[in-house]
Amino acid sequence: GESVGLHLPTLSVQEGDNSIINCAYSNSASDYFIWYKQESGKGPQFIIDIRSNMDKRQGQRVTVLLNKTVKHLSLQIAATQPGDSAVYFCADRRMDSSYKLIFGSGTRLLVRP
Amino acid sequence: NAGVTQTPKFQVLKTGQSMTLQCAQDMNHNSMYWYRQDPGMGLRLIYYSASEGTTDKGEVPNGYNVSRLNKREFSLRLESAAPSQTSVYFCASREPPGQGTFQPQHFGDGTRLSIL
C-alpha cells in the first residue's frame, strides 16, 4: 500500500553543522506534510508543516522543502545542537482518508559534541 | 497547562487480561486519537473521535475498543490482551481546522504496555 517512508534510519552530525532529514511519499492525495520530533520517552512534538501547494517553508532554525515532482520532503536543521538529538517523523494528511495522518517510520538524529 | 495526560505510564499484563488506558486533554480540543508505536515503525492509528459522541476506526482497530467519555477524555480498552498488543500507546488531540488550514495533533507521553 501507499506509505510515507524515510531514506535513512540514523543520521549522525557534528554539533554546529546543518542536518538534512529526508522523506519520500507516494500518496498524491495529501494536502499537508508535517514533521514531528520525538525525544526518548516522550510523545511526538510538532515541528513544522507545509501545505502541498508550497515548496518551502521556514521556521526557527528549521526549513522544510517539498518537491512534488519526485514526491520528496526534507527537513533542514541549521546549526544542529545536542538538544536536536531525537527521532524525526514525517507525516502526511490524506484528503482521501478523512484527513487522517499517516506517519513514516522515523529517522534518528544523533548530534556529536 | 498539562496538555494531554495519559495514565498509566507503564503496565505489564498477562495474556487474556483486560485493561483501559486513560487519556485526558485540557485544551478544549474536539478531536482525539489513539495510536500505537512499535519498534522501528511510525505511529499507526487505532481509533479516533472527531468530536464528542463519535468514534471511528483507524488503521489497526482489531482487539481494541474506545469510549469518548466527554470532551476531555478518550479511553482505549483492551478486552483480552495478546502479546501482539505489546507496544507504546499514544493519545493525541487537535483543534478543528479552519477552512484550508492545518492544526497539528498534540501528543501525550505514552503508555508503555507489555503483555506476557
Side-chain angles (χ1 to χ4, degrees):
Chain A
E2 294 182 306
S3 65
V4 176
L6 294 172
H7 293 308
L8 297 173
T10 303
L11 177 65
S12 180
V13 300
Q14 191 75 36
E15 180 179 356
D17 288 351
N18 297 334
S19 302
I20 300 176
I21 301 170
N22 295 304
C23 182
Y25 68 93
S26 57
N27 189 286
S28 299
S30 302
D31 64 345
Y32 278 91
F33 297 86
I34 308 102
W35 284 99
Y36 278 89
K37 172 186 180 183
Q38 187 177 24
E39 297 176 344
S40 181
K42 298 290 187 180
Q45 178 182 14
F46 170 76
I47 302 173
I48 192 168
D49 66 272
I50 185 168
R51 193 168 179 173
S52 60
N53 62 354
M54 300 172 64
D55 53 20
K56 181 178 181 179
R57 189 174 186 204
Q58 290 185 294
Q60 187 176 10
R61 275 201 312 118
V62 296
T63 300
V64 57
L65 299 178
L66 177 62
N67 185 329
K68 292 178 286 294
T69 301
V70 295
K71 295 184 177 179
H72 184 267
L73 182 72
S74 68
L75 178 71
Q76 300 179 2
I77 304 173
T80 312
Q81 302 170 358
D84 295 326
S85 292
V87 176
Y88 290 80
F89 293 94
C90 64
D92 66 319
R93 191 174 80 168
R94 302 285 176 90
M95 293 185 292
D96 60 352
S97 185
S98 302
Y99 294 92
K100 292 193 286 289
L101 295 185
I102 302 298
F103 286 83
S105 56
T107 291
R108 182 174 300 280
L109 177 65
L110 300 175
V111 182
R112 303 188 305 272
Chain B
N1 186 358
V4 179
T5 302
Q6 293 184 238
T7 55
K9 295 187 184 304
F10 303 93
Q11 185 70 47
V12 179
L13 295 177
K14 294 181 179 179
T15 297
Q17 287 185 316
S18 62
M19 173 164 190
T20 300
L21 308 186
Q22 305 289 351
C23 175
Q25 52 91 9
D26 62 3
M27 296 174 282
N28 202 35
H29 289 169
N30 285 336
S31 300
M32 298 186 73
Y33 306 80
W34 276 106
Y35 292 88
R36 61 178 287 172
Q37 184 177 38
D38 299 302
M41 298 180 69
L43 286 80
R44 292 184 293 169
L45 183 65
I46 305 172
Y47 270 94
Y48 67 103
S49 172
S51 61
E52 187 179 356
T54 69
T55 61
D56 286 285
K57 295 179 180 179
E59 296 175 75
V60 289
N62 292 343
Y64 305 96
N65 286 300
V66 290
S67 296
R68 183 73 184 266
L69 303 172
N70 47 56
K71 191 172 186 179
R72 289 187 64 247
E73 299 173 287
F74 188 37
S75 63
L76 178 71
R77 183 161 178 85
L78 287 70
E79 289 291 351
S80 179
S84 61
Q85 294 178 304
T86 293
S87 190
V88 182
Y89 291 85
F90 288 98
C91 177
S93 70
R94 179 179 64 85
E95 290 181 11
Q99 184 71 22
T101 64
F102 175 78
Q103 292 290 346
Q105 294 181 19
H106 299 263
F107 287 83
D109 284 337
T111 294
R112 283 142 187 85
L113 184 61
S114 293
I115 298 158
L116 307 178

